[in-house]
Amino acid sequence: DQQVKQNSPSLSVQEGRISILNCDYTNSMFDYFLWYKKYPAEGPTFLISISSIKDKNEDGRFTVFLNKSAKHLSLHIVPSQPGDSAVYFCAAETQGGSEKLVFGKGTKLTVNP
Amino acid sequence: NAGVMQNPRHLVRRRGQEARLRCSPMKGHSHVYWYRQLPEEGLKFMVYLQKENIIDESGMPKERFSAEFPKEGPSILRIQQVVRGDSAAYFCASSPALNYGYTFGSGTRLTVV
């Protein structure tokens, strides 16, 4: 039972263009969502998050959008840079508990120079 | 300020042996989380510990797996009588308190032969 789904295993974009990574969830109790970036042989690194009371959060080149009615969130990276090439994981949690995260399977982003 | 330190980085065990994975949290962090990433999968929560206490072990397999976080020293994830299906990357994360977000280590890659 996969509660957080990233349906695109991979995405390839040109440098300077927009990268859009998508994530869907099924558990309506989730109220906090995070994106992590992971390079090979390293641990995940926190990128950006959003609370369910918001529909958008922006941090530099990274913006996360949340559509609660559709149980969908997306990460926009603009402009994309070759250094953004990594695996991106969407994660969700229910606040007020033990802060355990439920992760999607990840999307491998490749930004071509 | 060192990050979350995990050792060993790579561990090879024969079926039936014991595996011990260590995690030293960041200085000042008293909350530790363990996650497991099977090949081609996302990270899956295993256990959440505070100093000397297991808070949430809802993700731990019922047999062969145990975790501790003693008053002194690193957190230990122990897997007894390893099987091939235990081969995975095991990530530890630490946090100073709930709702502060957490920082992941680089992981231990366990291979069971």
Coordinates of all heavy atoms in Angstrom, one line a residue, chain B residues 32-100:
Chain B
V32 N 16.8 10.2 17.3 CA 17.4 9.4 16.2 C 16.4 8.6 15.5 O 15.5 8.0 16.1 CB 18.6 8.5 16.7 CG1 18.9 7.4 15.7 CG2 19.8 9.3 17.1
Y33 N 16.5 8.6 14.1 CA 15.5 7.8 13.3 C 16.4 6.9 12.4 O 17.4 7.3 11.9 CB 14.7 8.7 12.4 CG 13.8 9.7 13.1 CD1 14.4 10.9 13.7 CD2 12.5 9.5 13.2 CE1 13.5 11.8 14.3 CE2 11.6 10.4 13.9 CZ 12.2 11.6 14.4 OH 11.4 12.4 15.1
W34 N 15.9 5.7 12.2 CA 16.5 4.8 11.2 C 15.5 4.5 10.1 O 14.3 4.2 10.3 CB 16.8 3.4 11.9 CG 18.0 3.5 12.8 CD1 18.1 3.7 14.1 CD2 19.4 3.3 12.4 NE1 19.4 3.7 14.6 CE2 20.2 3.4 13.6 CE3 20.0 3.0 11.2 CZ2 21.6 3.2 13.5 CZ3 21.4 2.8 11.2 CH2 22.2 3.0 12.3
Y35 N 16.0 4.5 8.9 CA 15.2 4.2 7.7 C 16.0 3.2 6.9 O 17.2 3.1 6.9 CB 15.1 5.5 6.8 CG 14.0 6.4 7.3 CD1 14.4 7.3 8.4 CD2 12.8 6.5 6.8 CE1 13.4 8.2 8.9 CE2 11.8 7.4 7.2 CZ 12.2 8.3 8.3 OH 11.2 9.2 8.7
R36 N 15.3 2.4 6.1 CA 15.9 1.4 5.2 C 15.4 1.7 3.8 O 14.2 2.0 3.5 CB 15.4 0.0 5.6 CG 15.9 -1.1 4.7 CD 15.8 -2.5 5.3 NE 14.4 -2.9 5.4 CZ 14.1 -4.2 5.8 NH1 15.0 -5.1 6.0 NH2 12.8 -4.5 5.9
Q37 N 16.4 1.6 2.8 CA 16.0 1.8 1.4 C 16.4 0.5 0.7 O 17.6 0.2 0.5 CB 16.8 3.0 0.8 CG 16.3 3.2 -0.6 CD 17.1 4.4 -1.3 OE1 18.2 4.7 -0.8 NE2 16.5 4.9 -2.3
L38 N 15.4 -0.3 0.3 CA 15.7 -1.4 -0.6 C 15.9 -1.0 -2.0 O 15.6 0.2 -2.4 CB 14.5 -2.4 -0.5 CG 14.2 -3.0 0.8 CD1 12.8 -3.7 0.8 CD2 15.3 -4.0 1.2
P39 N 16.6 -1.8 -2.8 CA 16.9 -1.4 -4.2 C 15.6 -0.9 -4.9 O 14.6 -1.6 -4.9 CB 17.5 -2.6 -4.8 CG 18.1 -3.4 -3.7 CD 17.2 -3.1 -2.5
E40 N 15.7 0.2 -5.6 CA 14.6 0.7 -6.5 C 13.4 1.2 -5.6 O 12.3 1.3 -6.2 CB 14.2 -0.3 -7.5 CG 15.3 -0.8 -8.4 CD 16.1 0.2 -9.1 OE1 15.5 1.2 -9.6 OE2 17.3 0.1 -9.2
E41 N 13.6 1.4 -4.4 CA 12.5 1.8 -3.5 C 12.8 3.1 -2.8 O 13.9 3.6 -2.8 CB 12.2 0.7 -2.4 CG 11.8 -0.7 -3.0 CD 10.4 -0.6 -3.4 OE1 9.6 0.1 -2.8 OE2 10.1 -1.3 -4.4
G42 N 11.8 3.7 -2.2 CA 12.0 4.8 -1.3 C 12.5 4.4 0.0 O 12.5 3.2 0.3
L43 N 12.8 5.4 0.9 CA 13.2 5.1 2.2 C 11.9 4.7 3.0 O 10.9 5.3 2.9 CB 13.9 6.3 2.9 CG 15.3 6.6 2.5 CD1 15.4 7.2 1.1 CD2 15.9 7.5 3.5
K44 N 12.1 3.7 3.9 CA 11.0 3.3 4.8 C 11.4 3.4 6.2 O 12.5 2.9 6.6 CB 10.6 1.8 4.4 CG 9.9 1.7 3.1 CD 9.1 0.5 2.9 CE 8.1 0.5 1.8 NZ 8.5 1.2 0.6
F45 N 10.5 4.0 7.0 CA 10.8 4.2 8.4 C 10.9 2.9 9.1 O 10.1 2.0 8.9 CB 9.6 5.1 9.0 CG 9.6 5.1 10.5 CD1 10.5 6.0 11.2 CD2 8.8 4.3 11.2 CE1 10.5 6.1 12.6 CE2 8.7 4.4 12.6 CZ 9.6 5.2 13.3
M46 N 11.9 2.8 10.0 CA 12.0 1.6 10.9 C 11.7 1.9 12.3 O 10.8 1.4 12.9 CB 13.4 1.1 10.7 CG 13.8 0.6 9.3 SD 15.4 -0.1 9.3 CE 15.1 -1.7 10.0
V47 N 12.5 2.9 12.9 CA 12.4 3.1 14.3 C 12.8 4.5 14.7 O 13.6 5.2 14.0 CB 13.2 2.1 15.1 CG1 14.7 2.2 14.7 CG2 13.0 2.1 16.6
Y48 N 12.2 5.0 15.8 CA 12.5 6.4 16.3 C 12.9 6.2 17.8 O 12.1 5.6 18.5 CB 11.3 7.3 16.1 CG 11.3 8.6 17.0 CD1 12.4 9.4 17.1 CD2 10.1 9.0 17.5 CE1 12.3 10.5 17.9 CE2 10.0 10.1 18.3 CZ 11.1 10.9 18.5 OH 11.1 12.0 19.2
L49 N 14.1 6.7 18.1 CA 14.6 6.6 19.5 C 15.0 8.0 20.0 O 15.4 8.8 19.3 CB 15.8 5.7 19.5 CG 15.7 4.4 18.8 CD1 16.5 4.4 17.5 CD2 16.4 3.3 19.7
Q50 N 14.8 8.1 21.3 CA 15.4 9.2 22.1 C 16.4 8.5 23.0 O 16.4 7.3 23.2 CB 14.4 10.0 22.8 CG 13.5 10.8 21.9 CD 12.5 11.6 22.6 OE1 12.6 12.0 23.8 NE2 11.4 11.9 22.0
K51 N 17.2 9.3 23.7 CA 18.2 8.7 24.6 C 17.6 7.7 25.5 O 16.7 8.0 26.3 CB 18.9 9.8 25.4 CG 19.9 10.6 24.6 CD 21.2 9.8 24.4 CE 22.3 10.6 23.8 NZ 23.5 9.9 23.6
E52 N 18.0 6.4 25.4 CA 17.7 5.3 26.3 C 16.2 4.9 26.1 O 15.7 4.0 26.8 CB 17.9 5.6 27.7 CG 19.4 5.9 28.1 CD 19.6 6.1 29.5 OE1 19.4 7.3 30.0 OE2 20.0 5.2 30.2
N53 N 15.5 5.4 25.1 CA 14.1 5.0 24.9 C 13.8 4.8 23.5 O 14.2 5.5 22.6 CB 13.2 6.1 25.4 CG 13.2 6.3 27.0 OD1 12.9 5.3 27.6 ND2 13.5 7.4 27.5
I54 N 13.0 3.7 23.2 CA 12.4 3.5 21.9 C 11.0 4.2 21.9 O 10.2 3.8 22.7 CB 12.3 2.0 21.6 CG1 13.7 1.4 21.5 CG2 11.5 1.8 20.3 CD1 13.6 -0.1 21.3
I55 N 10.8 5.2 21.0 CA 9.6 5.9 21.0 C 8.6 5.3 20.0 O 7.4 5.2 20.3 CB 9.8 7.4 20.7 CG1 10.9 8.0 21.6 CG2 8.5 8.2 20.7 CD1 10.6 7.9 23.0
D56 N 9.1 4.9 18.9 CA 8.2 4.4 17.8 C 8.9 3.3 17.0 O 9.9 3.7 16.4 CB 7.7 5.5 16.9 CG 6.7 5.0 15.9 OD1 6.6 3.8 15.6 OD2 6.0 5.9 15.3
E57 N 8.5 2.1 17.1 CA 9.2 1.0 16.4 C 8.2 0.3 15.4 O 8.4 -0.8 15.1 CB 9.9 0.0 17.3 CG 8.9 -0.6 18.3 CD 9.6 -1.6 19.2 OE1 10.8 -2.0 19.0 OE2 9.0 -2.0 20.2
S58 N 7.3 1.1 15.0 CA 6.2 0.5 14.2 C 6.7 0.0 12.8 O 6.0 -0.8 12.2 CB 5.1 1.6 13.9 OG 5.6 2.7 13.3
G59 N 7.9 0.5 12.4 CA 8.4 0.0 11.1 C 9.5 -1.1 11.2 O 10.0 -1.5 10.2
M60 N 9.7 -1.5 12.4 CA 10.7 -2.6 12.6 C 10.1 -4.0 12.3 O 9.1 -4.3 12.8 CB 11.3 -2.6 14.0 CG 12.2 -1.4 14.3 SD 13.8 -1.6 13.7 CE 14.5 -2.4 15.2
P61 N 10.8 -4.8 11.5 CA 10.4 -6.2 11.4 C 10.3 -6.8 12.8 O 11.1 -6.5 13.7 CB 11.5 -6.8 10.6 CG 12.1 -5.7 9.8 CD 12.0 -4.5 10.7
K62 N 9.4 -7.7 13.0 CA 9.1 -8.3 14.3 C 10.2 -9.1 14.8 O 10.5 -9.2 16.0 CB 7.8 -9.1 14.3 CG 6.6 -8.3 14.0 CD 6.2 -7.4 15.2 CE 4.9 -6.6 15.0 NZ 5.1 -5.4 14.2
E63 N 11.0 -9.7 13.9 CA 12.1 -10.6 14.4 C 13.4 -10.2 13.8 O 13.5 -9.5 12.8 CB 11.8 -12.1 13.9 CG 10.5 -12.7 14.5 CD 10.2 -14.0 14.0 OE1 10.8 -14.4 13.0 OE2 9.2 -14.7 14.5
R64 N 14.4 -10.5 14.5 CA 15.8 -10.4 14.1 C 16.4 -8.9 14.2 O 17.5 -8.7 14.2 CB 16.1 -10.9 12.7 CG 15.7 -12.4 12.6 CD 16.2 -12.9 11.2 NE 15.5 -12.2 10.1 CZ 16.1 -11.4 9.3 NH1 17.4 -11.1 9.4 NH2 15.4 -10.8 8.3
F65 N 15.5 -7.9 14.2 CA 15.9 -6.5 14.2 C 15.7 -5.9 15.6 O 14.7 -6.1 16.2 CB 15.1 -5.7 13.2 CG 15.5 -6.0 11.8 CD1 15.1 -7.1 11.1 CD2 16.2 -5.0 11.0 CE1 15.5 -7.4 9.8 CE2 16.5 -5.2 9.7 CZ 16.1 -6.4 9.1
S66 N 16.7 -5.1 16.0 CA 16.6 -4.4 17.3 C 17.4 -3.1 17.2 O 18.3 -3.0 16.3 CB 17.1 -5.2 18.5 OG 18.4 -5.5 18.3
A67 N 17.0 -2.1 18.0 CA 17.7 -0.9 18.0 C 17.9 -0.3 19.4 O 17.0 -0.6 20.2 CB 17.0 0.2 17.1
E68 N 18.9 0.4 19.6 CA 19.1 1.0 20.9 C 19.8 2.4 20.7 O 20.5 2.6 19.7 CB 19.9 0.1 21.8 CG 21.3 -0.1 21.3 CD 22.2 -1.0 22.3 OE1 21.6 -1.5 23.3 OE2 23.4 -1.1 22.1
F69 N 19.6 3.2 21.7 CA 20.3 4.5 21.7 C 20.7 4.8 23.2 O 19.9 5.4 23.9 CB 19.4 5.6 21.2 CG 20.0 7.0 21.0 CD1 21.4 7.1 20.9 CD2 19.2 8.1 20.8 CE1 22.0 8.4 20.7 CE2 19.8 9.3 20.6 CZ 21.2 9.5 20.6
P70 N 21.8 4.3 23.6 CA 22.2 4.4 25.0 C 22.5 5.8 25.4 O 22.7 6.7 24.6 CB 23.4 3.5 25.1 CG 24.0 3.5 23.7 CD 22.8 3.6 22.8
K71 N 22.6 5.9 26.7 CA 22.9 7.3 27.3 C 24.3 7.8 26.8 O 24.4 9.0 26.5 CB 23.0 7.1 28.8 CG 23.1 8.5 29.5 CD 23.0 8.3 31.1 CE 23.2 9.6 31.8 NZ 23.2 9.4 33.3
E72 N 25.2 6.9 26.6 CA 26.5 7.3 26.1 C 26.8 6.4 24.8 O 26.5 5.3 24.8 CB 27.6 7.0 27.1 CG 27.5 7.7 28.4 CD 27.7 9.2 28.3 OE1 28.4 9.6 27.3 OE2 27.2 10.0 29.1
G73 N 27.3 7.1 23.8 CA 27.7 6.3 22.6 C 26.6 6.4 21.5 O 25.6 7.1 21.7
P74 N 26.9 5.8 20.4 CA 26.1 5.9 19.2 C 24.8 5.1 19.4 O 24.7 4.2 20.2 CB 27.0 5.4 18.1 CG 27.8 4.4 18.8 CD 28.1 4.9 20.1
S75 N 23.9 5.3 18.5 CA 22.7 4.4 18.3 C 23.2 3.2 17.5 O 24.0 3.3 16.6 CB 21.6 5.2 17.6 OG 20.5 4.3 17.3
I76 N 22.7 2.1 17.8 CA 23.0 0.8 17.1 C 21.7 0.2 16.6 O 20.7 0.0 17.3 CB 23.6 -0.2 18.1 CG1 24.9 0.4 18.8 CG2 24.0 -1.5 17.4 CD1 26.1 0.6 18.0
L77 N 21.8 -0.2 15.3 CA 20.8 -1.0 14.7 C 21.4 -2.4 14.5 O 22.4 -2.5 13.9 CB 20.3 -0.4 13.3 CG 19.3 -1.2 12.6 CD1 17.9 -1.2 13.4 CD2 19.1 -0.7 11.2
R78 N 20.8 -3.4 15.1 CA 21.3 -4.8 15.1 C 20.4 -5.7 14.3 O 19.2 -5.7 14.5 CB 21.5 -5.3 16.5 CG 22.1 -6.7 16.6 CD 22.2 -7.2 18.0 NE 23.1 -6.4 18.9 CZ 22.8 -5.6 19.8 NH1 21.5 -5.4 20.1 NH2 23.7 -4.9 20.5
I79 N 21.0 -6.4 13.4 CA 20.2 -7.4 12.6 C 20.9 -8.8 12.9 O 22.0 -9.0 12.5 CB 20.2 -7.1 11.1 CG1 19.9 -5.6 10.8 CG2 19.3 -8.0 10.4 CD1 20.1 -5.2 9.4
Q80 N 20.1 -9.6 13.5 CA 20.6 -11.0 13.7 C 20.3 -11.9 12.6 O 19.2 -11.8 11.9 CB 20.0 -11.5 15.1 CG 20.5 -10.6 16.3 CD 19.8 -11.1 17.6 OE1 18.6 -11.2 17.7 NE2 20.7 -11.5 18.5
Q81 N 21.1 -12.9 12.4 CA 20.9 -14.0 11.4 C 20.4 -13.4 10.1 O 19.3 -13.7 9.6 CB 19.8 -14.9 12.0 CG 20.3 -15.6 13.2 CD 19.2 -16.5 13.8 OE1 18.0 -16.3 13.7 NE2 19.6 -17.6 14.5
V82 N 21.3 -12.5 9.5 CA 20.9 -11.8 8.3 C 20.6 -12.8 7.2 O 21.1 -13.9 7.1 CB 22.0 -10.9 7.8 CG1 22.2 -9.8 8.9 CG2 23.3 -11.6 7.5
V83 N 19.6 -12.3 6.3 CA 19.2 -13.0 5.1 C 19.5 -12.1 3.9 O 19.7 -10.9 4.1 CB 17.8 -13.5 5.2 CG1 17.5 -14.4 6.4 CG2 16.8 -12.3 5.3
R84 N 19.4 -12.7 2.7 CA 19.7 -11.9 1.5 C 18.7 -10.7 1.4 O 19.1 -9.6 0.9 CB 19.6 -12.8 0.2 CG 20.7 -13.8 0.1 CD 21.4 -13.5 -1.2 NE 22.6 -14.4 -1.2 CZ 22.7 -15.6 -1.8 NH1 21.6 -16.1 -2.3 NH2 23.8 -16.2 -1.8
G85 N 17.5 -10.9 1.8 CA 16.5 -9.8 1.7 C 16.8 -8.6 2.6 O 16.2 -7.5 2.5
D86 N 17.8 -8.7 3.5 CA 18.2 -7.6 4.4 C 19.2 -6.7 3.7 O 19.5 -5.6 4.2 CB 18.9 -8.1 5.7 CG 18.0 -8.9 6.5 OD1 16.7 -8.7 6.5 OD2 18.5 -9.8 7.3
S87 N 19.7 -7.1 2.5 CA 20.6 -6.2 1.7 C 19.9 -5.0 1.3 O 18.8 -5.0 0.7 CB 21.1 -7.0 0.5 OG 21.8 -8.1 0.8
A88 N 20.4 -3.8 1.8 CA 19.8 -2.5 1.6 C 20.7 -1.5 2.1 O 21.8 -1.7 2.6 CB 18.5 -2.5 2.4
A89 N 20.3 -0.2 1.8 CA 21.0 0.9 2.4 C 20.2 1.3 3.7 O 19.0 1.5 3.6 CB 21.1 2.1 1.5
Y90 N 20.9 1.5 4.8 CA 20.3 1.8 6.0 C 20.7 3.3 6.4 O 21.9 3.5 6.6 CB 20.7 0.9 7.1 CG 20.1 -0.5 6.9 CD1 20.7 -1.4 6.0 CD2 18.9 -0.9 7.6 CE1 20.1 -2.7 5.8 CE2 18.3 -2.1 7.4 CZ 18.9 -3.0 6.5 OH 18.4 -4.3 6.2
F91 N 19.8 4.1 6.5 CA 20.1 5.5 6.8 C 19.6 5.9 8.2 O 18.5 5.5 8.7 CB 19.4 6.5 5.8 CG 19.9 6.4 4.4 CD1 19.3 5.6 3.5 CD2 21.0 7.1 4.1 CE1 19.8 5.5 2.2 CE2 21.5 7.0 2.8 CZ 20.9 6.2 1.9
C92 N 20.4 6.7 8.9 CA 20.1 7.2 10.2 C 19.9 8.7 10.0 O 20.6 9.4 9.2 CB 21.3 6.9 11.1 SG 21.3 7.8 12.7
A93 N 19.0 9.3 10.8 CA 18.8 10.7 10.8 C 18.7 11.2 12.3 O 18.3 10.4 13.1 CB 17.6 11.1 10.1
S94 N 19.1 12.4 12.5 CA 19.0 12.9 13.9 C 18.4 14.3 13.9 O 18.4 15.0 12.9 CB 20.4 13.0 14.6 OG 21.2 14.0 14.1
S95 N 17.8 14.6 15.1 CA 17.1 15.9 15.2 C 17.3 16.4 16.7 O 17.4 15.6 17.6 CB 15.6 15.7 14.9 OG 14.9 16.8 15.2
P96 N 17.3 17.7 16.9 CA 17.4 18.2 18.3 C 16.1 18.0 19.1 O 16.1 18.0 20.3 CB 17.8 19.7 18.1 CG 17.2 20.0 16.7 CD 17.3 18.8 15.9
A97 N 15.0 18.0 18.3 CA 13.7 17.9 19.0 C 12.6 17.6 17.9 O 12.9 17.7 16.7 CB 13.3 19.2 19.7
L98 N 11.4 17.3 18.3 CA 10.4 17.1 17.4 C 10.1 18.4 16.6 O 10.2 19.5 17.2 CB 9.1 16.7 18.1 CG 9.0 15.2 18.4 CD1 7.7 14.9 19.2 CD2 9.0 14.3 17.1
N99 N 9.7 18.2 15.4 CA 9.3 19.4 14.5 C 10.4 20.3 14.2 O 10.1 21.5 13.8 CB 8.1 20.1 15.1 CG 6.9 19.2 15.3 OD1 6.6 18.4 14.5 ND2 6.2 19.3 16.4
Y100 N 11.6 19.9 14.3 CA 12.8 20.7 13.9 C 13.3 20.2 12.6 O 14.3 20.7 12.1 CB 13.9 20.7 15.0 CG 13.7 21.8 16.0 CD1 12.6 21.8 16.9 CD2 14.6 22.8 16.1 CE1 12.5 22.8 17.8 CE2 14.5 23.9 17.0 CZ 13.4 23.8 17.9 OH 13.2 24.8 18.8

